[in-house]
Amino acid sequence: MEIVKNSVVSLHYEMFDAAGELLDQTQADEPMVYLHGGYDGIFPAVEEALHGKKVGDKIDVSMEPDDAFGEYDAELVRIEPQDVFPEEIEVGMMFEADDPETGDVMLFTVTEIADGKVVVDGNHPLAGKRLRFVATVSEVRAASAEELDHGHVHGPHGHHH
């Protein structure tokens, strides 16, 4: 079966930075599974490259920051008083906060703690980076009516309700 809109696609991938360093990959027994066709389950540039492919086909897509995790935004780095955080705060911890402009929930990572202040960064760790996504299609099937209704894959390696 060819990958078309409303297909459930399973694939194994490796993602590299511009220097060729491996950043992420699927495990042998756990492929990435997503609903194909503009449901925001995968990078649009990767989805476009996968369209029309079949089981066993490979893709190799290079993405600029705007095609992946976006440009680094210095305005998303904030300095907050330490007393608004839990006592056991550590660098690397993540916290949710509401975006005052949009009301969206944002995820911030603690990057520094000093002198009663905490530096948090709302950028994705890979923001501002060029990435290369290499993948092999391992399975393609038609999505169920429930998956289409919900806009995501159900069952093994997908979403569970």
Side-chain angles (χ1 to χ4, degrees), residues 13-147:
Y13 74 87
E14 294 177 318
M15 188 167 53
F16 303 89
D17 65 13
E21 183 180 331
L22 181 65
L23 301 172
D24 192 23
Q25 66 183 15
T26 50
Q27 300 302 312
D29 59 341
E30 285 192 40
M32 175 188 176
V33 183
Y34 79 98
L35 182 57
H36 187 85
Y39 295 95
D40 297 327
I42 197 166
F43 299 116
V46 172
E47 186 170 61
E48 188 177 318
L50 285 164
H51 195 80
K53 301 290 189 233
K54 300 179 180 96
V55 171
D57 286 351
K58 296 180 186 326
I59 63 160
D60 189 330
V61 179
S62 292
M63 295 178 286
E64 294 298 321
D66 280 343
D67 298 323
F69 294 101
E71 295 292 345
Y72 187 84
D73 183 352
E75 290 186 19
L76 293 177
V77 177
R78 299 182 181 158
I79 299 171
E80 303 288 345
Q82 189 168 347
D83 61 10
V84 302
F85 292 92
E87 278 187 39
E88 65 278 354
I89 189 166
E90 296 176 12
V91 170
M93 285 182 153
M94 299 176 117
F95 294 91
E96 289 182 350
D98 293 331
D99 183 329
E101 291 176 20
T102 65
D104 293 340
V105 174
M106 297 180 62
L107 195 60
F108 287 85
T109 303
V110 175
T111 58
E112 192 177 332
I113 304 166
D115 302 323
K117 303 279 186 200
V118 176
V119 180
V120 294
D121 188 344
N123 286 287
H124 187 281
L126 298 176
K129 297 189 185 293
R130 295 183 67 212
L131 301 174
R132 183 170 158 237
F133 192 94
V134 179
T136 303
V137 179
S138 57
E139 187 181 341
V140 181
R141 67 170 173 81
S144 69
E146 184 181 36
E147 289 170 326

